[in-house]
Amino acid sequence: MMKKNFQDYLEYNQHFNQSLIQNYLENKLVWSEKSKSLLNHILNAHQIWNARILNQDKYEVWQINADDLLVKINAENFNNSSKILEERDITEIINYKNSIGKRFENSIHEIFFHFINHSTYHRGQIAMLMKENGLEPLNTDYIFYKRF
C-alpha cells in the first residue's frame, strides 16, 4: 500500500514539475532568474536523491541545466524513482554524504517523502514569484491534482 501511495505522489510531483517546465519554456522572458533557479533546484535535488540511492553520479544542487534538457531530466527523475519503488524495499537504509560531505543514513521511504515535500515547498515559492512577475501562478496542490 505504501509503495502504491508513493507512486501516486511521484506521478503528482512529475505532473506539476512538467507543468512548471512548460510554463517556464513558454514565458522565459517573464520568469525571474530566482524562479528559474528554483525550478532547476527542484529537478537537481530529485536527481541527487535518486543518485544517492542508486550510487550514480549526482548533479550539483544549484546547477542551471540547459532549457532543452528540463523535460528529459524530469522524466528521468520520475523513471528512476519509479524503478526504485518497484525494485527496492522502501525501508532499506541508504548511507550517503550530503552536499558538504557529512555522512547520514535514511530509509528510502524517508528520502522519497523528503524530496516530494521539498519539491512542493519550492513550487510554492515559484508560484509567489510568478505572481510578482505578472504571471498567473499554477495551482500545484495535491488535492487539485486528484480532482482531475
Side-chain angles (χ1 to χ4, degrees), residues 123-148:
R123 283 193 298 266
Q125 290 179 311
I126 292 170
M128 183 184 69
L129 292 166
M130 288 175 74
K131 189 169 187 168
E132 287 177 3
N133 288 307
L135 292 168
E136 183 68 30
L138 302 180
N139 184 344
T140 61
D141 291 341
Y142 177 74
I143 200 69
F144 184 75
Y145 170 76
K146 293 307 288 184
R147 290 177 185 161
F148 284 135

Side-chain angles (χ1 to χ4, degrees), residues 2-57:
M2 191 175 293
K3 281 189 173 193
K4 185 178 183 298
N5 288 344
F6 271 115
Q7 187 62 42
D8 182 52
Y9 302 148
L10 287 173
E11 290 168 9
Y12 151 73
N13 195 56
Q14 192 271 349
H15 172 82
F16 281 122
N17 286 348
Q18 180 60 38
S19 295
L20 275 181
I21 292 166
Q22 199 59 43
N23 188 287
Y24 164 70
L25 293 174
E26 292 170 3
N27 298 288
K28 285 185 207 183
L29 298 177
V30 186
W31 267 55
S32 68
E33 284 301 312
K34 181 66 176 171
S35 294
K36 179 181 176 179
S37 177
L38 287 168
L39 176 59
N40 278 271
H41 175 66
I42 289 168
L43 300 176
N44 296 340
H46 189 164
Q47 189 278 341
I48 290 165
W49 284 109
N50 281 339
R52 286 175 176 158
I53 295 167
L54 298 170
N55 288 317
Q56 296 175 341
D57 291 336

Side-chain angles (χ1 to χ4, degrees), residues 99-116:
S99 58
I100 59 171
K102 190 171 178 184
R103 291 193 175 276
F104 292 96
E105 60 179 44
N106 290 96
S107 69
I108 291 174
H109 165 264
E110 292 166 334
I111 290 168
F112 272 45
F113 183 83
H114 167 74
F115 75 71
I116 292 167

